[in-house]
Amino acid sequence: MKKEVSTGNIEKIIEKWKGKKGSLIMALHELQHLYGYIPQKGAEKMSTALRIPLSQIYEVITFYNLFKLKEPGKNTIAVCMGTACYLKGAPELLNELKVLLKVEEGGTTKDGLFNLDVVRCLGCCGLAPVMTINGEIFGKLKKGEIKDILAKYKKKEQK
């Protein structure tokens, strides 16, 4: 479900961090935690309230991979591309997900149900190859299992 961007919520974050030296990253982190991404409205309000040029705020947002400018899907899929996962077939899993979801890395499906991310290591090397959906781990995964896993999440949405 799409979360409405509230001016009040943004102002609370700004007030918490206003006047604290070097607090921009913490404020952006809190804003992203609230919405799952950095809404444009939030960046603009921070720019005005913190007296930081908007270009500088976007410089920070785009420098760090942590920050996202697009609203994520309801379910976040992360495919591990650490060495063990890569060698045990993670690229095949990623390609299968791209085909099934019709979305590229970092993208969100048209229905807003899934977004697809690639991470460098999930710390589950013994279970390689691994993907997670909303933190749920699917290890020793085979390409043919992905369709059923996605169907499980789609079915949850229909309830």
Side-chain angles (χ1 to χ4, degrees), residues 109-142:
T109 55
K110 284 184 181 176
D111 60 5
L113 198 54
F114 297 101
N115 66 289
L116 180 61
D117 290 330
V118 171
V119 296
R120 292 298 150 217
C121 185
L122 288 168
C124 309
C125 300
L127 298 174
V130 174
M131 82 170 185
T132 62
I133 300 181
N134 303 332
E136 184 179 358
I137 297 170
F138 298 92
K140 298 190 178 195
L141 192 60
K142 299 201 179 345

Side-chain angles (χ1 to χ4, degrees), residues 74-85:
K74 186 167 184 173
N75 299 290
T76 299
I77 300 171
V79 178
C80 183
M81 285 292 176
T83 304
C85 287

Side-chain angles (χ1 to χ4, degrees), residues 1-66:
M1 182 187 302
K2 195 172 189 171
K3 190 170 189 174
E4 187 74 30
V5 176
S6 158
T7 304
N9 288 337
I10 296 168
E11 287 171 357
K12 284 179 191 171
I13 293 170
I14 290 168
E15 282 306 310
K16 180 178 175 182
W17 295 104
K18 193 174 186 176
K20 295 179 182 172
K21 193 174 180 180
S23 62
L24 178 60
I25 290 176
M26 295 306 294
L28 290 171
H29 181 71
E30 194 167 327
L31 186 62
Q32 180 164 291
H33 181 72
L34 182 63
Y35 294 106
Y37 73 110
I38 308 290
Q40 182 178 349
K41 187 177 177 180
E44 289 170 353
K45 279 206 145 299
M46 281 192 180
S47 172
T48 304
L50 300 176
R51 297 183 182 185
I52 298 172
L54 189 58
S55 61
Q56 192 175 338
I57 290 176
Y58 276 99
E59 210 173 88
V60 170
I61 293 169
T62 56
F63 180 79
Y64 293 102
N65 285 341
L66 165 79

Side-chain angles (χ1 to χ4, degrees), residues 87-158:
L87 292 174
K88 291 198 170 190
E92 266 186 40
L93 301 179
L94 180 61
N95 286 334
E96 182 70 2
L97 284 161
K98 287 178 181 179
V99 170
L100 292 172
L101 298 173
K102 297 180 177 90
V103 68
E104 291 297 317
E105 296 171 37
T108 302
T109 55
K110 284 184 181 176
D111 60 5
L113 198 54
F114 297 101
N115 66 289
L116 180 61
D117 290 330
V118 171
V119 296
R120 292 298 150 217
C121 185
L122 288 168
C124 309
C125 300
L127 298 174
V130 174
M131 82 170 185
T132 62
I133 300 181
N134 303 332
E136 184 179 358
I137 297 170
F138 298 92
K140 298 190 178 195
L141 192 60
K142 299 201 179 345
K143 181 178 152 183
E145 298 170 325
I146 292 175
K147 194 173 185 176
D148 291 339
I149 293 169
L150 294 177
K152 181 178 112 181
Y153 281 86
K154 287 178 182 175
K155 193 174 180 180
K156 278 184 190 175
E157 290 304 312
Q158 293 170 347

